[in-house]
Amino acid sequence: MRYELFYWPGIQGRGEFVRLALEDAGAPYLDVGLGDARDGLGLPAIDSYLNGDATPRPPFAPPFLKAGNLVISHVANILQFLGPPLALVPDNEPARYWIHGLQLTVSDWVAEIHDIHHPIGPSLYYHQQEAEARRRAVAFHQQRLPRFLDYFERVLELNPAGPEYLAGGEHCYADLSLFQVIRGLQYAFPRTMNTHRARIPRTLTLVERVAARPGIQAYLQSDRRQPFNESGIFRHYPELDTVA
Amino acid sequence: MRYELFYWPGIQGRGEFVRLALEDAGAPYLDVGLGDARDGLGLPAIDSYLNGDATPRPPFAPPFLKAGNLVISHVANILQFLGPPLALVPDNEPARYWIHGLQLTVSDWVAEIHDIHHPIGPSLYYHQQEAEARRRAVAFHQQRLPRFLDYFERVLELNPAGPEYLAGGEHCYADLSLFQVIRGLQYAFPRTMNTHRARIPRTLTLVERVAARPGIQAYLQSDRRQPFNESGIFRHYPELDTVA
């Protein structure tokens, strides 16, 4: 099965959480948004799903994944679908609900991180809401960032199988997503993240473990890995990298 | 099986989406947060899960559901778990991924609605971020609210089985959640929502259908249904109910 990933070109964005799972597993996929409109790909292909021409079940927004006749929206839903065939989730029900819950916590975290630079709304440019963004960044760094960092560190610490993985003794898709959030935060807020190094030793070890996985290592060195930039979720605006 | 719902007392909040499913199906459940600490319930019971005393897999935040030995976090995850035993989801895989995706769109919408009154962050009071909230309300009402309303109206319109249900020819848990969001928006923003009546006829018909279901009707008239208030997600602050 060749999967088709639909996501906006030009940014890692939320699509990157899906790419990491596909790349880690070495699964064949077509990155539709990065293709050419003359080949039936690119933005017009994405739009045909969003506006309901291509499916009577239109997603609200990218990313979405096409797998045969299935069209699946939302990162957490896509990863839950891909988990079993890509061997990125254990074969037991309690672990699957637990890992999906962890992934939904990642989704909430990512939304909060995005809204640091867009506190008033996605319809305005950053420069139109920079004053509010500066205020939100302070609140985020003081309250929310430590809370999320401490949570995942504690999940690793409490894992009865040891702190190597988020869930039990096996690598799973949520490990890949935690890797991506930490790398994104380190890009966007290097000073702030530096002050937190000592509180998240297990998390930082997990990030290194994920980066060394053969599929991920190859992907990160390839030109398929788009760089972080100031159009994506994790934006490096120095004025928002305020150490609390 | 008697389910145990863990959610903050005093507000409908995100827990209400779970309550509606349990009440619609007539499923037995214990609302732990509303119980008394002297009976081992209430806030201390919630806290024992969050801090990891009661489980090595602590949720990040309420709501979470205990079902036997399973502890499941996040509204969408809980509803996906409850769907089959409560007969609130069809027995086919494509429909289940579609409905879970719709529920995750509801989650995104609810987060945006909450952040209207908390654009800088949840650690500050409303009165400390009222100026930013006023600005965010305008952007939400102009851009985001019509986009979400139009989306769900279009999902109903495109349903090959007709516009009565979100998915196929069967009632599902996402119908209940759409009901709750619309009722919440009508409470919080009556003037704004009035201006949108004509654009969402199918959605408003769905809301009436859900309200008339025996389990929901009985619940809404019971004292188990807590009223909307200004501590929850949907807050009626007249200064934020600005007609675009």
Side-chain angles (χ1 to χ4, degrees):
Chain A
M1 154 102 59
R2 186 178 72 159
Y3 300 104
E4 296 178 27
L5 171 64
F6 291 73
Y7 195 66
W8 306 123
I11 57 172
Q12 292 183 9
R14 288 176 171 82
E16 196 68 8
F17 297 94
V18 181
R19 288 192 192 100
L20 286 170
L22 294 164
E23 294 279 351
D24 186 43
Y29 71 102
L30 178 65
D31 208 326
V32 175
L34 298 179
D36 197 309
R38 288 167 296 188
D39 302 323
L41 305 173
L43 291 177
I46 295 176
D47 188 57
S48 70
Y49 281 85
L50 297 180
N51 69 24
D53 283 349
T55 171
R57 293 176 166 179
F60 183 74
F64 51 94
L65 185 83
K66 190 161 183 291
N69 289 322
L70 270 178
V71 178
I72 302 176
S73 77
H74 285 80
V75 168
N77 200 15
I78 295 168
L79 291 177
Q80 137 171 293
F81 168 78
L82 288 175
L86 301 192
L88 285 173
V89 82
D91 189 17
N92 76 79
E93 195 194 28
R96 289 185 180 184
Y97 282 106
W98 167 236
I99 291 167
H100 192 54
L102 291 173
Q103 189 66 43
L104 289 167
T105 302
V106 168
S107 294
D108 293 342
W109 194 7
V110 167
E112 289 197 27
I113 293 165
H114 173 274
D115 285 0
I116 294 172
H117 49 76
H118 277 76
I120 303 303
S123 52
L124 299 172
Y125 291 107
Y126 169 64
H127 71 83
Q128 296 174 301
Q129 48 191 312
E130 187 185 323
E132 293 91 344
R134 285 173 182 254
R135 204 173 164 214
R136 182 173 169 114
V138 171
F140 180 83
H141 293 324
Q142 286 182 349
Q143 306 284 342
R144 302 299 288 174
L145 180 58
R147 187 151 171 238
F148 279 105
L149 290 174
D150 288 351
Y151 175 72
F152 283 100
E153 183 70 13
R154 189 152 168 70
V155 166
L156 291 169
E157 185 183 353
L158 288 172
N159 184 354
E164 194 172 358
Y165 307 100
L166 283 170
E170 286 177 56
H171 176 70
C172 75
Y173 61 75
D175 295 352
L176 296 169
S177 292
L178 181 56
F179 159 85
Q180 173 69 4
V181 174
I182 298 296
R183 282 288 173 95
L185 286 168
Q186 288 171 331
Y187 170 81
F189 309 115
R191 295 176 64 228
T192 302
M193 286 299 286
N194 241 332
T195 67
H196 290 308
R197 287 196 69 81
R199 79 194 301 155
I200 53 168
R202 298 169 189 83
T203 303
L204 294 173
T205 300
L206 177 144
V207 167
E208 294 313 310
R209 175 181 67 72
V210 168
R213 289 178 62 84
I216 297 299
Q217 191 170 32
Y219 172 60
L220 296 178
Q221 291 167 357
S222 76
D223 57 9
R224 296 190 304 286
R225 171 77 164 184
Q226 302 170 76
F228 287 110
N229 63 36
E230 280 55 60
S231 303
I233 295 164
F234 303 99
R235 303 188 184 185
H236 180 52
Y237 294 137
E239 65 272 20
L240 303 186
D241 186 16
T242 52
V243 175
Chain B
M1 153 102 59
R2 186 177 72 160
Y3 300 104
E4 296 179 27
L5 172 63
F6 290 74
Y7 194 66
W8 306 122
I11 58 171
Q12 291 182 11
R14 286 178 172 82
E16 196 68 8
F17 296 94
V18 181
R19 289 193 192 99
L20 287 170
L22 294 163
E23 294 279 352
D24 187 44
Y29 71 102
L30 178 65
D31 209 327
V32 174
L34 299 179
D36 195 311
R38 287 167 296 187
D39 301 323
L41 305 173
L43 292 175
I46 295 176
D47 187 58
S48 70
Y49 281 84
L50 298 181
N51 69 22
D53 282 349
T55 171
R57 293 177 166 178
F60 183 74
F64 51 94
L65 185 83
K66 190 161 183 292
N69 289 323
L70 270 178
V71 178
I72 302 176
S73 78
H74 285 81
V75 168
N77 201 14
I78 295 168
L79 291 177
Q80 136 173 295
F81 168 77
L82 289 175
L86 302 192
L88 285 173
V89 82
D91 188 18
N92 77 79
E93 194 194 28
R96 289 185 180 183
Y97 282 106
W98 167 234
I99 291 167
H100 192 54
L102 291 173
Q103 189 66 43
L104 289 167
T105 301
V106 168
S107 294
D108 293 342
W109 195 6
V110 167
E112 289 197 26
I113 293 165
H114 173 274
D115 285 0
I116 294 173
H117 50 75
H118 277 76
I120 302 305
S123 52
L124 300 172
Y125 291 109
Y126 169 65
H127 70 82
Q128 296 174 302
Q129 48 191 313
E130 186 184 324
E132 293 91 343
R134 284 172 183 254
R135 205 174 163 214
R136 182 171 169 116
V138 171
F140 180 83
H141 294 324
Q142 285 180 350
Q143 306 283 342
R144 301 299 287 174
L145 180 59
R147 185 149 174 241
F148 279 105
L149 291 174
D150 288 352
Y151 175 72
F152 284 100
E153 183 71 13
R154 189 153 167 71
V155 167
L156 291 169
E157 185 184 353
L158 288 171
N159 184 355
E164 194 172 359
Y165 307 101
L166 282 170
E170 285 177 56
H171 176 70
C172 75
Y173 62 73
D175 295 351
L176 296 169
S177 292
L178 181 56
F179 159 85
Q180 173 69 3
V181 174
I182 297 296
R183 282 287 173 96
L185 287 168
Q186 289 172 331
Y187 169 81
F189 310 115
R191 294 176 65 228
T192 302
M193 286 299 285
N194 241 330
T195 68
H196 290 309
R197 287 194 69 80
R199 78 194 302 155
I200 53 168
R202 297 169 189 84
T203 303
L204 293 174
T205 300
L206 178 144
V207 168
E208 294 313 310
R209 174 180 69 71
V210 168
R213 289 178 64 83
I216 297 299
Q217 192 170 32
Y219 173 59
L220 296 178
Q221 290 168 359
S222 76
D223 57 9
R224 296 190 304 285
R225 172 77 163 183
Q226 302 170 77
F228 287 110
N229 63 36
E230 280 55 62
S231 302
I233 296 164
F234 303 100
R235 303 189 183 184
H236 180 51
Y237 294 136
E239 65 273 20
L240 303 185
D241 186 16
T242 52
V243 175

